[in-house]
């Protein structure tokens, strides 16, 4: 990505996964949080693709800022952006997780706070060379979470609907694709 002609890797790296388990967990989270994110955005007449692309770029850039020589793959930044967006939209919704075979149920706002803290601490731990971060791209998770929170706030304040950027208008894309005259 540090080469000028490799900017597409910021988005395409989200399509690559290290293992089948990594892919399966990310796809489960993407489908789970993606459907509700899409429904919320459709009510506001917004497409989901800018959210996904923006979360992918933000997660990748956050990782590169924290780890300039590193590389990361996976959809985690996007899925955590969707989790954050949904948690901000419905903070009392109960979410279920399984951590080391222990089922945990938390209100979405508490889950978001916990994951945000883990991502901040993990990113800081990786920056100082601690092994605590392991093989997890905490900075990517942090970037995704912050993007999801920011997107929710922009939607709540009506910045995305009142001052809708031209690229977010369905009509522009339908005309460009030749679906509407």
């Amino acid at each position: 990505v540090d080469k000028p002609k490799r900017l597409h890797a910021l988005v395409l790296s989200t399509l690559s996964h290290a293992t089948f388990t990594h892919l399966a967990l990310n796809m489960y989270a993407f489908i789970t949080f993606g459907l509700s994110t899409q429904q919320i955005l459709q009510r506001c007449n917004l497409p989901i693709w800018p959210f996904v692309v923006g979360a992918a770029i933000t997660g990748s850039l956050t990782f590169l800022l924290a780890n300039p020589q590193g590389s990361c793959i996976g959809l985690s930044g996007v899925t955590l952006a969707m989790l954050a967006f949904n948690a901000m939209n419905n903070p009392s919704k109960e979410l279920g997780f399984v951590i080391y075979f222990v089922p945990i149920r938390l209100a979405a706002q508490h889950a978001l706070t916990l994951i945000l803290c883990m991502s901040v601490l993990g990113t800081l731990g990786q920056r100082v060379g601690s092994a605590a971060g392991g093989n997890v791209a905490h900075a990517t998770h942090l970037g995704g979470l912050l993007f999801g929170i920011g997107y929710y706030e922009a939607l709540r304040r009506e910045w995305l609907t009142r001052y809708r950027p031209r690229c977010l208008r369905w009509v522009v894309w339908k005309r460009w694709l030749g679906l509407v005259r």
Side-chain angles (χ1 to χ4, degrees):
V1 175
D2 58 352
K3 295 180 177 70
K5 297 192 184 226
R6 303 245 329 134
L7 293 176
H8 61 282
L10 291 172
V11 175
L12 294 180
S13 64
T14 62
L15 302 176
S16 302
H17 288 80
T19 64
F20 178 75
T21 305
H22 184 210
L23 174 66
L25 289 172
N26 274 319
M27 290 311 299
Y28 174 75
F30 184 80
I31 291 167
T32 301
F33 297 115
L35 292 174
S36 54
T37 300
Q38 184 177 20
Q39 289 171 355
I40 295 164
L41 294 176
Q42 278 181 342
R43 278 185 289 209
C44 299
N45 200 24
L46 293 170
I48 194 169
W49 71 264
F51 182 94
V52 173
V53 171
I57 291 171
T58 304
S60 294
L61 283 177
T62 307
F63 181 86
L64 288 174
L65 287 172
N67 308 290
Q69 300 304 318
S71 63
C72 87
I73 56 174
L75 197 60
S76 303
V78 175
T79 57
L80 286 172
M82 290 177 173
L83 181 145
F85 183 81
N86 282 287
M88 295 292 289
N89 187 60
N90 193 356
S92 61
K93 181 179 182 180
E94 193 171 86
L95 299 178
F97 299 93
V98 177
I99 301 174
Y100 297 111
F101 303 106
V102 178
I104 298 173
R105 298 190 81 63
L106 291 172
Q109 65 186 4
H110 299 306
L112 176 59
T113 303
L114 178 67
I115 295 169
L116 194 56
C117 289
M118 287 172 46
S119 296
V120 168
L121 293 174
T123 301
L124 293 174
Q126 287 176 336
R127 288 293 296 150
V128 296
S130 167
N135 210 15
V136 177
H138 291 288
T140 302
H141 295 173
L142 180 60
L145 291 166
L146 294 176
F147 180 85
I149 292 168
Y151 208 88
Y152 171 79
E153 284 300 319
L155 188 63
R156 185 181 68 81
R157 295 169 194 231
E158 298 181 356
W159 294 345
L160 297 175
T161 52
R162 188 175 339 138
Y163 308 110
R164 184 176 312 210
R166 190 162 169 78
C167 67
L168 293 181
R169 297 184 187 151
W170 273 115
V171 174
V172 172
W173 288 98
K174 286 179 182 175
R175 282 190 193 131
W176 188 73
L177 293 170
L179 301 173
V180 174
R181 293 192 193 274

